[in-house]
Every structure is written in structure tokens, then in C-alpha cells.
PDB file of all heavy atoms in Angstrom:
ATOM      1  N   PRO A 435      41.945  70.994  48.250  1.00  0.00           N
ATOM      2  CA  PRO A 435      43.202  71.726  48.362  1.00  0.00           C
ATOM      3  C   PRO A 435      43.686  71.828  49.803  1.00  0.00           C
ATOM      4  O   PRO A 435      42.932  71.619  50.749  1.00  0.00           O
ATOM      5  CB  PRO A 435      42.848  73.117  47.823  1.00  0.00           C
ATOM      6  CG  PRO A 435      41.388  73.264  48.109  1.00  0.00           C
ATOM      7  CD  PRO A 435      40.807  71.877  47.984  1.00  0.00           C
ATOM      8  N   MET A 436      44.945  72.147  49.949  1.00  0.00           N
ATOM      9  CA  MET A 436      45.586  72.447  51.232  1.00  0.00           C
ATOM     10  C   MET A 436      45.786  71.213  52.112  1.00  0.00           C
ATOM     11  O   MET A 436      46.043  71.324  53.300  1.00  0.00           O
ATOM     12  CB  MET A 436      44.803  73.512  52.017  1.00  0.00           C
ATOM     13  CG  MET A 436      44.481  74.769  51.222  1.00  0.00           C
ATOM     14  SD  MET A 436      45.952  75.637  50.656  1.00  0.00           S
ATOM     15  CE  MET A 436      46.370  76.505  52.153  1.00  0.00           C
ATOM     16  N   MET A 437      45.686  70.025  51.521  1.00  0.00           N
ATOM     17  CA  MET A 437      45.856  68.774  52.264  1.00  0.00           C
ATOM     18  C   MET A 437      46.459  67.708  51.345  1.00  0.00           C
ATOM     19  O   MET A 437      46.038  66.562  51.366  1.00  0.00           O
ATOM     20  CB  MET A 437      44.501  68.283  52.789  1.00  0.00           C
ATOM     21  CG  MET A 437      43.783  69.229  53.692  1.00  0.00           C
ATOM     22  SD  MET A 437      42.195  68.570  54.224  1.00  0.00           S
ATOM     23  CE  MET A 437      42.743  67.247  55.275  1.00  0.00           C
ATOM     24  N   LEU A 438      47.432  68.076  50.529  1.00  0.00           N
ATOM     25  CA  LEU A 438      47.918  67.178  49.486  1.00  0.00           C
ATOM     26  C   LEU A 438      48.386  65.831  50.023  1.00  0.00           C
ATOM     27  O   LEU A 438      48.121  64.792  49.414  1.00  0.00           O
ATOM     28  CB  LEU A 438      49.045  67.820  48.679  1.00  0.00           C
ATOM     29  CG  LEU A 438      49.531  66.985  47.499  1.00  0.00           C
ATOM     30  CD1 LEU A 438      48.450  66.845  46.447  1.00  0.00           C
ATOM     31  CD2 LEU A 438      50.784  67.581  46.908  1.00  0.00           C
ATOM     32  N   HIS A 439      49.057  65.821  51.165  1.00  0.00           N
ATOM     33  CA  HIS A 439      49.532  64.547  51.694  1.00  0.00           C
ATOM     34  C   HIS A 439      48.365  63.638  52.088  1.00  0.00           C
ATOM     35  O   HIS A 439      48.363  62.445  51.766  1.00  0.00           O
ATOM     36  CB  HIS A 439      50.492  64.742  52.856  1.00  0.00           C
ATOM     37  CG  HIS A 439      50.107  65.737  53.905  1.00  0.00           C
ATOM     38  ND1 HIS A 439      49.001  66.559  53.847  1.00  0.00           N
ATOM     39  CD2 HIS A 439      50.714  66.047  55.068  1.00  0.00           C
ATOM     40  CE1 HIS A 439      48.953  67.332  54.915  1.00  0.00           C
ATOM     41  NE2 HIS A 439      49.990  67.020  55.682  1.00  0.00           N
ATOM     42  N   TYR A 440      47.350  64.193  52.724  1.00  0.00           N
ATOM     43  CA  TYR A 440      46.190  63.402  53.107  1.00  0.00           C
ATOM     44  C   TYR A 440      45.409  62.948  51.870  1.00  0.00           C
ATOM     45  O   TYR A 440      45.054  61.775  51.741  1.00  0.00           O
ATOM     46  CB  TYR A 440      45.282  64.203  54.046  1.00  0.00           C
ATOM     47  CG  TYR A 440      44.063  63.421  54.463  1.00  0.00           C
ATOM     48  CD1 TYR A 440      44.158  62.434  55.429  1.00  0.00           C
ATOM     49  CD2 TYR A 440      42.825  63.645  53.872  1.00  0.00           C
ATOM     50  CE1 TYR A 440      43.050  61.690  55.802  1.00  0.00           C
ATOM     51  CE2 TYR A 440      41.710  62.910  54.240  1.00  0.00           C
ATOM     52  CZ  TYR A 440      41.826  61.930  55.208  1.00  0.00           C
ATOM     53  OH  TYR A 440      40.736  61.189  55.574  1.00  0.00           O
ATOM     54  N   VAL A 441      45.167  63.874  50.951  1.00  0.00           N
ATOM     55  CA  VAL A 441      44.431  63.552  49.722  1.00  0.00           C
ATOM     56  C   VAL A 441      45.168  62.463  48.945  1.00  0.00           C
ATOM     57  O   VAL A 441      44.549  61.496  48.475  1.00  0.00           O
ATOM     58  CB  VAL A 441      44.239  64.824  48.859  1.00  0.00           C
ATOM     59  CG1 VAL A 441      43.656  64.487  47.502  1.00  0.00           C
ATOM     60  CG2 VAL A 441      43.372  65.837  49.586  1.00  0.00           C
ATOM     61  N   SER A 442      46.467  62.584  48.821  1.00  0.00           N
ATOM     62  CA  SER A 442      47.262  61.587  48.095  1.00  0.00           C
ATOM     63  C   SER A 442      47.200  60.229  48.782  1.00  0.00           C
ATOM     64  O   SER A 442      47.089  59.188  48.115  1.00  0.00           O
ATOM     65  CB  SER A 442      48.721  62.040  47.992  1.00  0.00           C
ATOM     66  OG  SER A 442      48.806  63.236  47.263  1.00  0.00           O
ATOM     67  N   SER A 443      47.244  60.230  50.098  1.00  0.00           N
ATOM     68  CA  SER A 443      47.194  58.954  50.826  1.00  0.00           C
ATOM     69  C   SER A 443      45.852  58.269  50.620  1.00  0.00           C
ATOM     70  O   SER A 443      45.784  57.045  50.453  1.00  0.00           O
ATOM     71  CB  SER A 443      47.478  59.167  52.317  1.00  0.00           C
ATOM     72  OG  SER A 443      46.377  59.761  53.000  1.00  0.00           O
ATOM     73  N   LYS A 444      44.774  59.025  50.597  1.00  0.00           N
ATOM     74  CA  LYS A 444      43.453  58.422  50.413  1.00  0.00           C
ATOM     75  C   LYS A 444      43.214  58.026  48.959  1.00  0.00           C
ATOM     76  O   LYS A 444      42.474  57.079  48.680  1.00  0.00           O
ATOM     77  CB  LYS A 444      42.358  59.346  50.949  1.00  0.00           C
ATOM     78  CG  LYS A 444      42.438  59.501  52.475  1.00  0.00           C
ATOM     79  CD  LYS A 444      42.395  58.150  53.181  1.00  0.00           C
ATOM     80  CE  LYS A 444      42.396  58.267  54.680  1.00  0.00           C
ATOM     81  NZ  LYS A 444      42.088  56.994  55.344  1.00  0.00           N
ATOM     82  N   GLY A 445      43.852  58.714  48.022  1.00  0.00           N
ATOM     83  CA  GLY A 445      43.835  58.259  46.636  1.00  0.00           C
ATOM     84  C   GLY A 445      44.547  56.915  46.516  1.00  0.00           C
ATOM     85  O   GLY A 445      44.101  56.020  45.787  1.00  0.00           O
ATOM     86  N   ALA A 446      45.637  56.761  47.255  1.00  0.00           N
ATOM     87  CA  ALA A 446      46.340  55.481  47.275  1.00  0.00           C
ATOM     88  C   ALA A 446      45.458  54.389  47.861  1.00  0.00           C
ATOM     89  O   ALA A 446      45.469  53.247  47.378  1.00  0.00           O
ATOM     90  CB  ALA A 446      47.640  55.605  48.067  1.00  0.00           C
ATOM     91  N   VAL A 447      44.664  54.705  48.879  1.00  0.00           N
ATOM     92  CA  VAL A 447      43.761  53.713  49.476  1.00  0.00           C
ATOM     93  C   VAL A 447      42.755  53.222  48.434  1.00  0.00           C
ATOM     94  O   VAL A 447      42.485  52.017  48.341  1.00  0.00           O
ATOM     95  CB  VAL A 447      43.049  54.293  50.718  1.00  0.00           C
ATOM     96  CG1 VAL A 447      41.914  53.390  51.187  1.00  0.00           C
ATOM     97  CG2 VAL A 447      44.047  54.528  51.850  1.00  0.00           C
ATOM     98  N   ILE A 448      42.219  54.124  47.643  1.00  0.00           N
ATOM     99  CA  ILE A 448      41.260  53.730  46.601  1.00  0.00           C
ATOM    100  C   ILE A 448      41.939  52.829  45.574  1.00  0.00           C
ATOM    101  O   ILE A 448      41.404  51.781  45.199  1.00  0.00           O
ATOM    102  CB  ILE A 448      40.629  54.975  45.944  1.00  0.00           C
ATOM    103  CG1 ILE A 448      39.744  55.704  46.966  1.00  0.00           C
ATOM    104  CG2 ILE A 448      39.841  54.593  44.691  1.00  0.00           C
ATOM    105  CD1 ILE A 448      39.285  57.082  46.532  1.00  0.00           C
ATOM    106  N   ALA A 449      43.134  53.200  45.141  1.00  0.00           N
ATOM    107  CA  ALA A 449      43.867  52.385  44.162  1.00  0.00           C
ATOM    108  C   ALA A 449      44.248  51.035  44.754  1.00  0.00           C
ATOM    109  O   ALA A 449      44.130  49.994  44.084  1.00  0.00           O
ATOM    110  CB  ALA A 449      45.113  53.140  43.695  1.00  0.00           C
ATOM    111  N   MET A 450      44.680  51.014  46.010  1.00  0.00           N
ATOM    112  CA  MET A 450      45.048  49.753  46.663  1.00  0.00           C
ATOM    113  C   MET A 450      43.831  48.845  46.800  1.00  0.00           C
ATOM    114  O   MET A 450      43.950  47.625  46.632  1.00  0.00           O
ATOM    115  CB  MET A 450      45.654  50.040  48.032  1.00  0.00           C
ATOM    116  CG  MET A 450      47.013  50.714  47.960  1.00  0.00           C
ATOM    117  SD  MET A 450      47.570  51.323  49.572  1.00  0.00           S
ATOM    118  CE  MET A 450      47.882  49.789  50.431  1.00  0.00           C
ATOM    119  N   THR A 451      42.690  49.428  47.096  1.00  0.00           N
ATOM    120  CA  THR A 451      41.463  48.641  47.227  1.00  0.00           C
ATOM    121  C   THR A 451      41.173  47.908  45.924  1.00  0.00           C
ATOM    122  O   THR A 451      40.873  46.710  45.912  1.00  0.00           O
ATOM    123  CB  THR A 451      40.284  49.561  47.613  1.00  0.00           C
ATOM    124  OG1 THR A 451      40.557  50.124  48.903  1.00  0.00           O
ATOM    125  CG2 THR A 451      38.969  48.818  47.634  1.00  0.00           C
ATOM    126  N   ARG A 452      41.260  48.609  44.808  1.00  0.00           N
ATOM    127  CA  ARG A 452      40.984  47.999  43.506  1.00  0.00           C
ATOM    128  C   ARG A 452      41.985  46.898  43.178  1.00  0.00           C
ATOM    129  O   ARG A 452      41.611  45.807  42.732  1.00  0.00           O
ATOM    130  CB  ARG A 452      41.009  49.074  42.419  1.00  0.00           C
ATOM    131  CG  ARG A 452      39.862  50.039  42.526  1.00  0.00           C
ATOM    132  CD  ARG A 452      39.989  51.171  41.537  1.00  0.00           C
ATOM    133  NE  ARG A 452      38.858  52.073  41.666  1.00  0.00           N
ATOM    134  CZ  ARG A 452      38.854  53.313  41.226  1.00  0.00           C
ATOM    135  NH1 ARG A 452      39.907  53.793  40.596  1.00  0.00           N
ATOM    136  NH2 ARG A 452      37.784  54.071  41.386  1.00  0.00           N
ATOM    137  N   ALA A 453      43.267  47.180  43.397  1.00  0.00           N
ATOM    138  CA  ALA A 453      44.303  46.199  43.066  1.00  0.00           C
ATOM    139  C   ALA A 453      44.233  44.979  43.983  1.00  0.00           C
ATOM    140  O   ALA A 453      44.345  43.837  43.517  1.00  0.00           O
ATOM    141  CB  ALA A 453      45.680  46.854  43.141  1.00  0.00           C
ATOM    142  N   MET A 454      44.053  45.191  45.281  1.00  0.00           N
ATOM    143  CA  MET A 454      43.960  44.064  46.204  1.00  0.00           C
ATOM    144  C   MET A 454      42.745  43.197  45.891  1.00  0.00           C
ATOM    145  O   MET A 454      42.816  41.963  45.979  1.00  0.00           O
ATOM    146  CB  MET A 454      43.910  44.540  47.656  1.00  0.00           C
ATOM    147  CG  MET A 454      45.249  45.028  48.169  1.00  0.00           C
ATOM    148  SD  MET A 454      45.343  45.259  49.979  1.00  0.00           S
ATOM    149  CE  MET A 454      43.957  46.293  50.326  1.00  0.00           C
ATOM    150  N   ALA A 455      41.630  43.820  45.536  1.00  0.00           N
ATOM    151  CA  ALA A 455      40.428  43.051  45.204  1.00  0.00           C
ATOM    152  C   ALA A 455      40.711  42.070  44.072  1.00  0.00           C
ATOM    153  O   ALA A 455      40.257  40.926  44.107  1.00  0.00           O
ATOM    154  CB  ALA A 455      39.276  43.988  44.830  1.00  0.00           C
ATOM    155  N   ARG A 456      41.458  42.512  43.093  1.00  0.00           N
ATOM    156  CA  ARG A 456      41.786  41.637  41.959  1.00  0.00           C
ATOM    157  C   ARG A 456      42.759  40.532  42.364  1.00  0.00           C
ATOM    158  O   ARG A 456      42.712  39.430  41.842  1.00  0.00           O
ATOM    159  CB  ARG A 456      42.343  42.448  40.809  1.00  0.00           C
ATOM    160  CG  ARG A 456      41.269  43.339  40.195  1.00  0.00           C
ATOM    161  CD  ARG A 456      41.681  43.830  38.826  1.00  0.00           C
ATOM    162  NE  ARG A 456      40.597  44.553  38.206  1.00  0.00           N
ATOM    163  CZ  ARG A 456      39.648  44.000  37.459  1.00  0.00           C
ATOM    164  NH1 ARG A 456      39.629  42.701  37.262  1.00  0.00           N
ATOM    165  NH2 ARG A 456      38.709  44.738  36.914  1.00  0.00           N
ATOM    166  N   GLU A 457      43.653  40.833  43.293  1.00  0.00           N
ATOM    167  CA  GLU A 457      44.639  39.829  43.708  1.00  0.00           C
ATOM    168  C   GLU A 457      44.051  38.738  44.590  1.00  0.00           C
ATOM    169  O   GLU A 457      44.527  37.607  44.558  1.00  0.00           O
ATOM    170  CB  GLU A 457      45.807  40.498  44.440  1.00  0.00           C
ATOM    171  CG  GLU A 457      46.717  41.272  43.522  1.00  0.00           C
ATOM    172  CD  GLU A 457      48.037  41.636  44.179  1.00  0.00           C
ATOM    173  OE1 GLU A 457      48.583  40.826  44.952  1.00  0.00           O
ATOM    174  OE2 GLU A 457      48.511  42.756  43.912  1.00  0.00           O
ATOM    175  N   VAL A 458      43.042  39.069  45.388  1.00  0.00           N
ATOM    176  CA  VAL A 458      42.531  38.089  46.361  1.00  0.00           C
ATOM    177  C   VAL A 458      41.119  37.600  46.040  1.00  0.00           C
ATOM    178  O   VAL A 458      40.571  36.786  46.770  1.00  0.00           O
ATOM    179  CB  VAL A 458      42.596  38.626  47.803  1.00  0.00           C
ATOM    180  CG1 VAL A 458      44.042  38.938  48.201  1.00  0.00           C
ATOM    181  CG2 VAL A 458      41.701  39.846  47.996  1.00  0.00           C
ATOM    182  N   GLY A 459      40.554  38.070  44.962  1.00  0.00           N
ATOM    183  CA  GLY A 459      39.197  37.664  44.597  1.00  0.00           C
ATOM    184  C   GLY A 459      39.041  36.163  44.410  1.00  0.00           C
ATOM    185  O   GLY A 459      38.036  35.578  44.814  1.00  0.00           O
ATOM    186  N   ALA A 460      40.023  35.524  43.815  1.00  0.00           N
ATOM    187  CA  ALA A 460      39.948  34.076  43.596  1.00  0.00           C
ATOM    188  C   ALA A 460      39.921  33.301  44.915  1.00  0.00           C
ATOM    189  O   ALA A 460      39.526  32.143  44.946  1.00  0.00           O
ATOM    190  CB  ALA A 460      41.125  33.615  42.738  1.00  0.00           C
ATOM    191  N   ASP A 461      40.321  33.952  45.999  1.00  0.00           N
ATOM    192  CA  ASP A 461      40.311  33.335  47.332  1.00  0.00           C
ATOM    193  C   ASP A 461      39.030  33.643  48.095  1.00  0.00           C
ATOM    194  O   ASP A 461      38.952  33.386  49.301  1.00  0.00           O
ATOM    195  CB  ASP A 461      41.522  33.829  48.130  1.00  0.00           C
ATOM    196  CG  ASP A 461      42.829  33.466  47.450  1.00  0.00           C
ATOM    197  OD1 ASP A 461      43.071  32.266  47.227  1.00  0.00           O
ATOM    198  OD2 ASP A 461      43.606  34.396  47.137  1.00  0.00           O
ATOM    199  N   ASN A 462      38.043  34.238  47.411  1.00  0.00           N
ATOM    200  CA  ASN A 462      36.762  34.592  48.022  1.00  0.00           C
ATOM    201  C   ASN A 462      36.926  35.649  49.122  1.00  0.00           C
ATOM    202  O   ASN A 462      36.233  35.624  50.140  1.00  0.00           O
ATOM    203  CB  ASN A 462      36.033  33.350  48.556  1.00  0.00           C
ATOM    204  CG  ASN A 462      34.545  33.583  48.683  1.00  0.00           C
ATOM    205  OD1 ASN A 462      33.942  34.333  47.916  1.00  0.00           O
ATOM    206  ND2 ASN A 462      33.946  32.970  49.674  1.00  0.00           N
ATOM    207  N   ILE A 463      37.854  36.554  48.879  1.00  0.00           N
ATOM    208  CA  ILE A 463      38.067  37.682  49.779  1.00  0.00           C
ATOM    209  C   ILE A 463      37.625  38.931  49.036  1.00  0.00           C
ATOM    210  O   ILE A 463      38.066  39.187  47.914  1.00  0.00           O
ATOM    211  CB  ILE A 463      39.548  37.815  50.190  1.00  0.00           C
ATOM    212  CG1 ILE A 463      40.016  36.535  50.899  1.00  0.00           C
ATOM    213  CG2 ILE A 463      39.755  39.043  51.074  1.00  0.00           C
ATOM    214  CD1 ILE A 463      41.524  36.460  51.101  1.00  0.00           C
ATOM    215  N   CYS A 464      36.726  39.677  49.655  1.00  0.00           N
ATOM    216  CA  CYS A 464      36.238  40.928  49.067  1.00  0.00           C
ATOM    217  C   CYS A 464      36.972  42.098  49.703  1.00  0.00           C
ATOM    218  O   CYS A 464      37.106  42.165  50.934  1.00  0.00           O
ATOM    219  CB  CYS A 464      34.740  41.084  49.310  1.00  0.00           C
ATOM    220  SG  CYS A 464      33.745  39.798  48.536  1.00  0.00           S
ATOM    221  N   VAL A 465      37.427  43.028  48.871  1.00  0.00           N
ATOM    222  CA  VAL A 465      38.114  44.222  49.353  1.00  0.00           C
ATOM    223  C   VAL A 465      37.374  45.430  48.793  1.00  0.00           C
ATOM    224  O   VAL A 465      37.246  45.580  47.576  1.00  0.00           O
ATOM    225  CB  VAL A 465      39.589  44.260  48.898  1.00  0.00           C
ATOM    226  CG1 VAL A 465      40.298  45.470  49.496  1.00  0.00           C
ATOM    227  CG2 VAL A 465      40.311  42.966  49.265  1.00  0.00           C
ATOM    228  N   ASN A 466      36.871  46.260  49.682  1.00  0.00           N
ATOM    229  CA  ASN A 466      36.126  47.459  49.293  1.00  0.00           C
ATOM    230  C   ASN A 466      36.577  48.629  50.141  1.00  0.00           C
ATOM    231  O   ASN A 466      37.296  48.463  51.134  1.00  0.00           O
ATOM    232  CB  ASN A 466      34.622  47.226  49.475  1.00  0.00           C
ATOM    233  CG  ASN A 466      34.093  46.224  48.480  1.00  0.00           C
ATOM    234  OD1 ASN A 466      34.027  46.497  47.294  1.00  0.00           O
ATOM    235  ND2 ASN A 466      33.728  45.038  48.968  1.00  0.00           N
ATOM    236  N   ALA A 467      36.141  49.810  49.752  1.00  0.00           N
ATOM    237  CA  ALA A 467      36.470  51.017  50.512  1.00  0.00           C
ATOM    238  C   ALA A 467      35.208  51.835  50.744  1.00  0.00           C
ATOM    239  O   ALA A 467      34.258  51.775  49.966  1.00  0.00           O
ATOM    240  CB  ALA A 467      37.504  51.863  49.767  1.00  0.00           C
ATOM    241  N   VAL A 468      35.239  52.589  51.801  1.00  0.00           N
ATOM    242  CA  VAL A 468      34.222  53.584  52.112  1.00  0.00           C
ATOM    243  C   VAL A 468      34.934  54.933  52.047  1.00  0.00           C
ATOM    244  O   VAL A 468      36.008  55.096  52.628  1.00  0.00           O
ATOM    245  CB  VAL A 468      33.622  53.343  53.516  1.00  0.00           C
ATOM    246  CG1 VAL A 468      32.721  54.481  53.924  1.00  0.00           C
ATOM    247  CG2 VAL A 468      32.872  52.025  53.552  1.00  0.00           C
ATOM    248  N   ALA A 469      34.346  55.877  51.324  1.00  0.00           N
ATOM    249  CA  ALA A 469      34.919  57.217  51.215  1.00  0.00           C
ATOM    250  C   ALA A 469      33.977  58.211  51.883  1.00  0.00           C
ATOM    251  O   ALA A 469      33.036  58.701  51.255  1.00  0.00           O
ATOM    252  CB  ALA A 469      35.149  57.591  49.754  1.00  0.00           C
ATOM    253  N   PRO A 470      34.213  58.492  53.156  1.00  0.00           N
ATOM    254  CA  PRO A 470      33.361  59.465  53.845  1.00  0.00           C
ATOM    255  C   PRO A 470      33.700  60.891  53.418  1.00  0.00           C
ATOM    256  O   PRO A 470      34.838  61.191  53.051  1.00  0.00           O
ATOM    257  CB  PRO A 470      33.700  59.285  55.322  1.00  0.00           C
ATOM    258  CG  PRO A 470      34.661  58.154  55.409  1.00  0.00           C
ATOM    259  CD  PRO A 470      35.183  57.884  54.035  1.00  0.00           C
ATOM    260  N   GLY A 471      32.700  61.748  53.509  1.00  0.00           N
ATOM    261  CA  GLY A 471      32.950  63.178  53.435  1.00  0.00           C
ATOM    262  C   GLY A 471      33.399  63.640  54.815  1.00  0.00           C
ATOM    263  O   GLY A 471      33.552  62.831  55.735  1.00  0.00           O
ATOM    264  N   LEU A 472      33.595  64.928  54.957  1.00  0.00           N
ATOM    265  CA  LEU A 472      34.002  65.472  56.252  1.00  0.00           C
ATOM    266  C   LEU A 472      33.004  65.022  57.315  1.00  0.00           C
ATOM    267  O   LEU A 472      31.807  65.275  57.207  1.00  0.00           O
ATOM    268  CB  LEU A 472      34.062  67.003  56.194  1.00  0.00           C
ATOM    269  CG  LEU A 472      34.471  67.689  57.494  1.00  0.00           C
ATOM    270  CD1 LEU A 472      35.877  67.286  57.922  1.00  0.00           C
ATOM    271  CD2 LEU A 472      34.377  69.203  57.333  1.00  0.00           C
ATOM    272  N   THR A 473      33.510  64.332  58.312  1.00  0.00           N
ATOM    273  CA  THR A 473      32.682  63.746  59.365  1.00  0.00           C
ATOM    274  C   THR A 473      33.083  64.348  60.695  1.00  0.00           C
ATOM    275  O   THR A 473      34.276  64.504  60.988  1.00  0.00           O
ATOM    276  CB  THR A 473      32.872  62.211  59.386  1.00  0.00           C
ATOM    277  OG1 THR A 473      32.542  61.696  58.085  1.00  0.00           O
ATOM    278  CG2 THR A 473      32.005  61.555  60.433  1.00  0.00           C
ATOM    279  N   MET A 474      32.118  64.654  61.513  1.00  0.00           N
ATOM    280  CA  MET A 474      32.367  65.312  62.787  1.00  0.00           C
ATOM    281  C   MET A 474      32.844  64.297  63.834  1.00  0.00           C
ATOM    282  O   MET A 474      32.205  64.058  64.855  1.00  0.00           O
ATOM    283  CB  MET A 474      31.119  66.061  63.258  1.00  0.00           C
ATOM    284  CG  MET A 474      30.614  67.100  62.260  1.00  0.00           C
ATOM    285  SD  MET A 474      31.883  68.213  61.600  1.00  0.00           S
ATOM    286  CE  MET A 474      32.358  69.083  63.062  1.00  0.00           C
ATOM    287  N   SER A 475      33.994  63.719  63.566  1.00  0.00           N
ATOM    288  CA  SER A 475      34.633  62.785  64.489  1.00  0.00           C
ATOM    289  C   SER A 475      35.256  63.579  65.636  1.00  0.00           C
ATOM    290  O   SER A 475      35.360  64.810  65.578  1.00  0.00           O
ATOM    291  CB  SER A 475      35.711  61.996  63.762  1.00  0.00           C
ATOM    292  OG  SER A 475      36.746  62.872  63.345  1.00  0.00           O
ATOM    293  N   GLU A 476      35.696  62.877  66.662  1.00  0.00           N
ATOM    294  CA  GLU A 476      36.352  63.559  67.785  1.00  0.00           C
ATOM    295  C   GLU A 476      37.551  64.361  67.305  1.00  0.00           C
ATOM    296  O   GLU A 476      37.776  65.477  67.755  1.00  0.00           O
ATOM    297  CB  GLU A 476      36.792  62.536  68.837  1.00  0.00           C
ATOM    298  CG  GLU A 476      35.664  61.951  69.646  1.00  0.00           C
ATOM    299  CD  GLU A 476      36.165  60.950  70.674  1.00  0.00           C
ATOM    300  OE1 GLU A 476      37.341  61.015  71.087  1.00  0.00           O
ATOM    301  OE2 GLU A 476      35.356  60.080  71.062  1.00  0.00           O
ATOM    302  N   GLY A 477      38.338  63.771  66.384  1.00  0.00           N
ATOM    303  CA  GLY A 477      39.521  64.454  65.887  1.00  0.00           C
ATOM    304  C   GLY A 477      39.199  65.756  65.182  1.00  0.00           C
ATOM    305  O   GLY A 477      39.921  66.745  65.323  1.00  0.00           O
ATOM    306  N   VAL A 478      38.123  65.785  64.428  1.00  0.00           N
ATOM    307  CA  VAL A 478      37.720  67.005  63.717  1.00  0.00           C
ATOM    308  C   VAL A 478      37.151  68.010  64.707  1.00  0.00           C
ATOM    309  O   VAL A 478      37.492  69.196  64.670  1.00  0.00           O
ATOM    310  CB  VAL A 478      36.714  66.690  62.599  1.00  0.00           C
ATOM    311  CG1 VAL A 478      36.108  67.956  62.018  1.00  0.00           C
ATOM    312  CG2 VAL A 478      37.378  65.876  61.501  1.00  0.00           C
ATOM    313  N   VAL A 479      36.281  67.552  65.588  1.00  0.00           N
ATOM    314  CA  VAL A 479      35.626  68.452  66.544  1.00  0.00           C
ATOM    315  C   VAL A 479      36.645  69.101  67.474  1.00  0.00           C
ATOM    316  O   VAL A 479      36.563  70.297  67.757  1.00  0.00           O
ATOM    317  CB  VAL A 479      34.547  67.690  67.348  1.00  0.00           C
ATOM    318  CG1 VAL A 479      34.018  68.526  68.496  1.00  0.00           C
ATOM    319  CG2 VAL A 479      33.411  67.256  66.435  1.00  0.00           C
ATOM    320  N   GLU A 480      37.629  68.334  67.921  1.00  0.00           N
ATOM    321  CA  GLU A 480      38.612  68.837  68.886  1.00  0.00           C
ATOM    322  C   GLU A 480      39.759  69.596  68.238  1.00  0.00           C
ATOM    323  O   GLU A 480      40.540  70.237  68.919  1.00  0.00           O
ATOM    324  CB  GLU A 480      39.161  67.673  69.716  1.00  0.00           C
ATOM    325  CG  GLU A 480      38.096  67.041  70.593  1.00  0.00           C
ATOM    326  CD  GLU A 480      38.563  65.749  71.249  1.00  0.00           C
ATOM    327  OE1 GLU A 480      39.737  65.363  71.056  1.00  0.00           O
ATOM    328  OE2 GLU A 480      37.746  65.142  71.952  1.00  0.00           O
TER     329      GLU A 480
END
């Protein structure tokens, strides 16, 4: 909650990953995603 724009954008990333994988698989291109939890990056720490 409280981050709908960010959550929606990352949901789109997951959906795009799946769709792109199907579109480029025949070309031997793999498309995957990593879904991190809250990570203590510089942006979060600062």
C-alpha cells in the first residue's frame, strides 16, 4: 500500500517480462526478471 504508482509499474515489468520472453524466445533471447524485496540501496538509506 501507499505506493500504487510504483507497485503498478513493477507489475507491468513482470507482465512485460513474460510477454517479451514469448516474443523473442525463437531468437534465443531469454528475458527474465528479478523481484527484490526492500533493499538497503543508497536511495533507500538516504
